Amino acid sequence: PNLVSAELRFRGYREALAKHGLVCDERLIVRGDFTEGGGYKGARELLERDVEYTAIFAANDLMAIGAIKALKEEKIAIPADVSVVGFDGTGVCNYVEPPLTTVRLPVARLGSLAAQVVIDLLQGKKDVERGIMLPIELVIRGSAQTPEL
């Protein structure tokens, strides 16, 4: 909860729900620690709750991979029963079974811009650009499908 990226991702989740007229059900929210183990633990916690869901959207790819492991242990079919989506677009997404659907960030561009901001600040520039928005991409692979309602 103290990471800016975690809070921004959580805010984006809430805003996306609101934009589509959906209420945020706190029973569907599990906090993790951006690790595979945290995703596993979070999915196990979610499995113990008396709440129905068709998808898990993890705050990063590692947590999504941990969630997949927990679901598989319970013989839950991915994506037929529950879709799993990660966030970051790491290379490991292709090596999970099923391959992980993810929201890909332009990591190289992000790093380049961050380095430039630091350099500009160290050089004493006053008009350093902040709050830069970069495009993201949904990469659909085998871990997600459109739910049948």
Side-chain angles (χ1 to χ4, degrees):
N2 297 326
L3 291 175
V4 172
S5 61
E7 289 306 314
L8 290 173
R9 291 173 191 198
F10 187 58
R11 185 185 322 158
Y13 167 76
R14 288 181 173 274
E15 288 174 2
L17 289 175
K19 179 180 176 181
H20 294 282
L22 300 171
V23 177
C24 184
D25 184 345
E26 296 295 327
R27 298 174 303 158
L28 295 172
I29 298 169
V30 179
R31 299 244 179 211
D33 62 1
F34 282 74
T35 67
E36 187 176 336
Y40 176 86
K41 181 180 173 188
R44 300 283 331 159
E45 184 178 328
L46 191 57
L47 287 164
E48 293 173 9
R49 296 181 182 176
D50 186 27
V51 61
E52 291 184 29
Y53 53 91
T54 59
I56 293 176
F57 180 49
N60 75 346
D61 292 340
L62 286 176
M63 288 178 53
I65 291 167
I68 286 173
K69 181 177 181 184
L71 294 171
K72 283 183 170 185
E73 285 180 356
E74 296 300 317
K75 307 290 190 254
I76 295 171
I78 304 163
D81 296 330
V82 176
S83 291
V84 179
V85 179
F87 194 94
D88 284 335
T90 58
V92 72
C93 295
N94 288 315
Y95 302 103
V96 179
E97 186 54 43
L100 182 63
T101 295
T102 187
V103 176
R104 181 185 295 153
L105 299 176
V107 178
R109 181 75 178 129
L110 183 64
S112 174
L113 288 170
Q116 188 59 54
V117 166
V118 170
I119 291 168
D120 289 347
L121 289 170
L122 289 172
Q123 291 177 345
K125 293 185 179 176
K126 303 282 187 226
D127 59 342
V128 176
E129 189 170 353
R130 297 169 191 256
I132 302 166
M133 297 293 285
L134 296 176
I136 59 172
E137 174 188 9
L138 177 62
V139 181
I140 300 171
R141 295 190 181 96
S143 69
Q145 70 179 13
T146 304
E148 293 183 28
L149 302 175

